[in-house]
Amino acid sequence: MASKASTPPYPSAAKISDSPCFPQYTASLKCLEEFSSDKSKCQQQFDVYKECKKKEREARLERNKSRSLFS
């Protein structure tokens, strides 16, 4: 059963650590730790992470646009 727990729910499940935005993600978490979860002091890190995720999503959509289900 231990192997089932380590298996992702579906084969293409991505881990946050595999994301190009992982450094921005960890920076936002470190900020929250540093300022005792005061989100207002970490807005810049949140914005940088949000922008990275937006660019990552746009790139994925662009890649998928060139793929066809019927080819």
Side-chain angles (χ1 to χ4, degrees), residues 18-33:
D18 294 336
S19 169
C21 300
F22 185 65
Q24 293 85 344
Y25 172 77
T26 55
S28 63
L29 292 181
K30 285 180 184 178
C31 180
L32 286 173
E33 277 183 13

Side-chain angles (χ1 to χ4, degrees), residues 25-67:
Y25 172 77
T26 55
S28 63
L29 292 181
K30 285 180 184 178
C31 180
L32 286 173
E33 277 183 13
E34 183 179 335
F35 291 108
S36 303
S37 298
D38 184 355
K39 294 179 181 178
S40 65
K41 295 185 178 180
C42 301
Q43 191 59 50
Q44 181 181 358
Q45 285 84 353
F46 296 151
D47 291 343
V48 169
Y49 176 63
K50 186 177 177 179
E51 186 63 28
C52 181
K53 291 300 285 184
K54 181 180 174 186
K55 288 179 182 177
E56 182 182 40
R57 180 179 179 275
E58 289 170 354
R60 185 177 64 249
L61 289 173
E62 193 60 38
R63 281 193 314 268
N64 290 345
K65 208 185 273 188
S66 63
R67 295 180 183 170

Side-chain angles (χ1 to χ4, degrees), residues 1-10 13 15:
M1 257 193 200
S3 64
K4 187 174 184 179
S6 64
T7 305
Y10 48 94
K15 294 184 272 182

